[in-house]
Amino acid sequence: MAEDHNRVGLPPNIEFRDASDSVLFVEHLSSDYSLEDVFYQYYPDAPQTLLFYVFGDVALPKKSTLNDIFSEFTVQELPVVVWVRMPVPFTPCLSPKWK
């Protein structure tokens, strides 16, 4: 489980939330674990079509790591919040901003 990777006593550096903004779990992870691998350790039966977002609307590749997020974005505070959502039908005005 992902908790095996949790560093005891360190504050969380990542927080996963669902589409309704409810916290699913928080962790302190090594920056090289992929978001997908960590998420599916907690929710192994979740649909494989889930998408990961940061800053509310910036979609990430599933194999993104915290290192990727830190190198691509200016992170102002920890934990980094990652939203997990089901894909939605394509609507040009609502399309995600792919990174």
Side-chain angles (χ1 to χ4, degrees):
M1 293 294 282
E3 53 265 14
D4 294 338
H5 307 302
N6 191 357
R7 297 185 184 183
V8 177
L10 294 176
N13 60 358
I14 191 162
E15 179 176 294
F16 285 80
R17 296 182 185 186
D18 65 15
S20 66
D21 210 29
S22 298
V23 175
L24 298 172
F25 64 92
V26 294
E27 271 285 0
H28 184 97
L29 298 174
S30 172
S31 58
D32 58 352
Y33 290 112
S34 78
L35 302 178
E36 178 183 51
D37 292 345
V38 172
F39 182 81
Y40 287 112
Q41 286 182 28
Y42 276 91
Y43 296 97
D45 297 329
Q48 296 296 310
T49 55
L50 292 174
L51 300 174
F52 298 97
Y53 292 82
V54 289
F55 307 113
D57 65 348
V58 179
L60 298 168
K62 286 186 168 193
K63 291 297 180 182
S64 293
T65 65
L66 278 175
N67 263 348
D68 296 332
I69 295 170
F70 293 140
S71 67
E72 287 286 323
F73 306 102
T74 303
V75 176
Q76 299 294 326
E77 60 186 56
L78 291 178
V80 172
V81 176
V82 175
W83 284 268
V84 181
R85 301 182 189 140
M86 291 293 294
V88 294
F90 178 73
T91 304
C93 64
L94 299 176
S95 62
K97 298 173 187 161
W98 296 104
K99 272 307 247 186

